[in-house]
Amino acid sequence: MSPSCHVALHYFPEVSSDVLRELSGFLFIIHRLKTPSDTVKPRAVVMSEPKAPTPAPGDTYKGWLFKWTNYIKGYQRRWFVLSNGLLSYYRTQAEMGHTCRGTINLATANIAVEDSCNFVISNGGTQTYHLKASSEVERQRWITALELAKAKAVRMQPESDESGDDSTPPASGQGAGSRNSEVQSTLRTLSSKVEDLSTCNDLIAKHGSALQRSLSELEGVRLGGETSEKFRQVTERATLFRITSNAMINACQDFLTLAQTHSKRWQKALQSEREQRVRLEETLEQLAKQHNHLERAFRGATVLPSSQSNPSIDSKGPVPVKGDASDEDDENEFFDACEDVQEFITVPADPKYHRRSGSNVSGISSELGMDDGTTSLDEQSLASNPESPQSQELVPVRKRRSRIPDKPNYSLNLWSIMKNCIGKELSKIPMPVNFNEPLSMLQRLSEDLEYYELLDRGAKCQNSLEQMCYVAAFTVSSYSTTVHRTGKPFNPLLGETFELDRVQESGYRSLCEQVSHHPPAAAHHAISERGWTLRQEIALASKFRGKYLSIMPLGSIHCIFEKSTNHYTWKKVTTTVHNIIVGKLWIDQSGEIDVVNHKTGDRCHLKFAPYSYFSRDVARKVTGVVTDKDGKAHYVLSGTWDEKMEYSRVMQSSRGGENGAEGRQKTVYQTLKAKELWRKTPLPEGAENMYYFSTLALTLNEPEEGVAPTDSRRRPDQRLMEQGRWEEANAEKQRLEEKQRTVRREREREANRTASPSEEGGHQDNYTPMWFERLVDPMTGETTHIYKGGYWEAKEQGSWDSCPDIF
């Protein structure tokens, strides 16, 4: 007799041997149900994030599809990979090992067919892929594979959710193998208990049926000798059913307790794993950005060798960290499958060009289409030392200041101010000085002359193409002061002026005046004793978009050289200030500039590449090509708008045909070795505490005697801000703005009183500037404000009686 039978006989001596055999088998089951926690003790386990099972050969599907990118590029060919319920795409097959352009989870995605070849996949959120197959058959293959993968992902999702993780971390010496064995052991234990519960259920059904039969037979038995036997059988069945039921209940309780215990552990472990996953994602994102940053720095060091010595290379490229912004899409503009912004390729020229002697330089000029009598652009000409003997003879008549009071650290709730400003024009938003820098827009405009030496050298050139290189470098250099300048300059009051007299130090003098308030427009005129004149009228169109601020300068810039009478014009690119609400502010310049010589027809096309996370180019990159009136390239310019520009002489070029991979090929220029054309001057020490002002910017608001009463240096709110008295500056700023509105309303009423009935209501802003007059530019045909003279004569005489009282 088995040990189980002895146990049953001890507790139930009245039960027959047949029943005892059944009872002993059931007691064995009960023994298993009671003892697994002792024999196979569950250990604390940590399970990794639920993963989809390793796909069978049919679970992975790869191939080419056309993906919609934008209205300019349309559908672009991309390599798609379907695996483990995820659809990912790459630009090429070679990118599969390192760069994924996007991934969508099919478990929550909707798949819709548009027509014979097109279909759409969307997750109901921000991800929507508009795809096109090469044929209807190919589209159907993809639809079938996607539907199957989606169904499997949906099935696996509940299983993955239920197979959570244990919260206790493994010992440092445990590996993936031990964790998997612990998980398998726990799963085997639970599976065994499920089987035992199933067996108990079968026994309960069996013994319940037997008890029911016994009761039925009892009803039909006559009272007699066999009555006691029947009662005994009923008692045995009832006892056995009671034991079975109790065992079933106990087994269920054990299973429930075990499941609840592991469920709590796994819930805690799952939460821990999710938090760890977020931390790992943040770390991975940081590493990816650092890798991208290092790649750009390396490429910059390779393409622009002299940048290796620049200590500011580590600050290249806006690399916002996770704490600065909630999501990279909120602070940066990303481009799906971003193409190389450079429209041409440069390669070293044939060595024969480098071996030419000095007597053959004119031959190169002739080959490039230059006149034999002109001076070619040799290495010494463009790469000349800016500290020429002429400039060394100029000694400043006064020592300019090199510091201003440090910027106070005042906190401000930006969103409380900006949330009511979305969609409004920037000039109409009442901004506190907390967002400003202690300079006006007129002074910022004068900062374009930071690298006036480029125009000085350009004025000495006898060849227009050489001169064009200097003008193009000057155009780029005007943006170098903006890289860290996230503060907003003060909006000038109508009639406000700013003079920059540097004749004795640098040979030029400059005058700016605010000639219009709505829309805001400023006129600028600068003239140099070294033979050049610069003039411009800039009106700013700016919009706050919630995440970023776009500033679009309107108007043309003119540069005229006295000796050659060459007249150049160009326009400014768009400035974008990112992370207005959340994160660290950073500035980007993007767009294209055409510098045109209206006398000779020479042209320089400059391209400012917008920042893109996916681009491997150097951040803030600028490229350009100098061509003559016939479109023949003579020089290639390259560099960054915040650091330097270089030039390369084009020796030979080959234009692309129409049989390229993307329908066209890039032009290949064979060039001589690149030479530096312009380099940014390092910021003064402690600039980070002085609004990142350059050496020139630090002197712009320095008080000077003899300036006009409308000069920006005399503006009280700007002066108070520079001194760190921001509360007083805010109050003064509101007073000045209200005074300006009062003067404008009075001017409009006066204009309406003097106007005829037909003209009434047509005077929006009939202000007449003091030093500029509105004329039609003879070169461009634009109506613009041009300096009419008289300011410097008035300064010499000290006659400012006609100036308005604006402060």
Side-chain angles (χ1 to χ4, degrees), residues 499-600:
E499 69 164 67
L500 185 62
D501 192 349
R502 294 289 192 271
V503 171
Q504 292 182 325
E505 296 118 303
S506 307
Y508 71 87
R509 56 177 32 165
S510 162
L511 175 66
C512 294
E513 181 180 0
Q514 187 75 0
V515 296
S516 175
H517 189 63
H518 288 300
H524 179 211
H525 182 271
I527 186 169
S528 173
E529 294 178 342
R530 299 171 189 173
W532 54 265
T533 301
L534 185 77
R535 60 178 174 85
Q536 59 182 317
E537 179 181 351
I538 298 296
L540 297 179
S542 52
K543 287 293 183 180
F544 174 58
R545 302 295 185 182
K547 297 179 182 179
Y548 60 90
L549 176 70
S550 295
I551 303 173
M552 293 77 69
L554 308 175
S556 299
I557 305 173
H558 299 252
C559 183
I560 304 99
F561 290 97
E562 180 179 347
K563 184 177 180 180
S564 63
T565 67
N566 287 328
H567 190 139
Y568 298 86
T569 63
W570 66 91
K571 296 180 182 291
K572 288 182 175 287
V573 296
T574 299
T575 300
T576 305
V577 184
H578 295 269
N579 297 346
I580 294 294
I581 299 300
V582 178
K584 184 179 180 181
L585 294 174
W586 60 277
I587 291 178
D588 193 25
Q589 312 284 354
S590 59
E592 299 182 6
I593 295 178
D594 280 314
V595 184
V596 181
N597 185 340
H598 293 272
K599 178 182 177 182
T600 64

Side-chain angles (χ1 to χ4, degrees), residues 71-85:
Y71 285 99
I72 297 177
K73 297 182 179 178
Y75 283 96
Q76 296 292 320
R77 195 165 179 250
R78 299 290 179 258
W79 179 255
F80 279 81
V81 177
L82 173 60
S83 178
N84 292 339

Side-chain angles (χ1 to χ4, degrees), residues 310-355:
N310 185 10
S312 65
I313 191 69
D314 292 335
S315 63
K316 295 290 292 174
V319 186
V321 298
K322 188 77 174 180
D324 290 338
S326 58
D327 189 73
E328 194 68 25
D329 287 338
D330 293 341
E331 58 225 24
N332 301 330
E333 292 184 27
F334 295 104
F335 303 91
D336 179 70
C338 182
E339 301 291 344
D340 187 2
V341 297
Q342 195 170 352
E343 297 178 349
F344 55 85
I345 301 174
T346 58
V347 297
D350 192 283
K352 65 182 180 180
Y353 294 113
H354 298 273
R355 293 195 298 266

Side-chain angles (χ1 to χ4, degrees), residues 644-657:
K644 66 176 182 179
M645 288 296 292
E646 295 180 336
Y647 77 97
S648 301
R649 186 203 301 269
V650 177
M651 305 279 49
Q652 188 175 354
S653 64
S654 59
R655 299 189 178 277

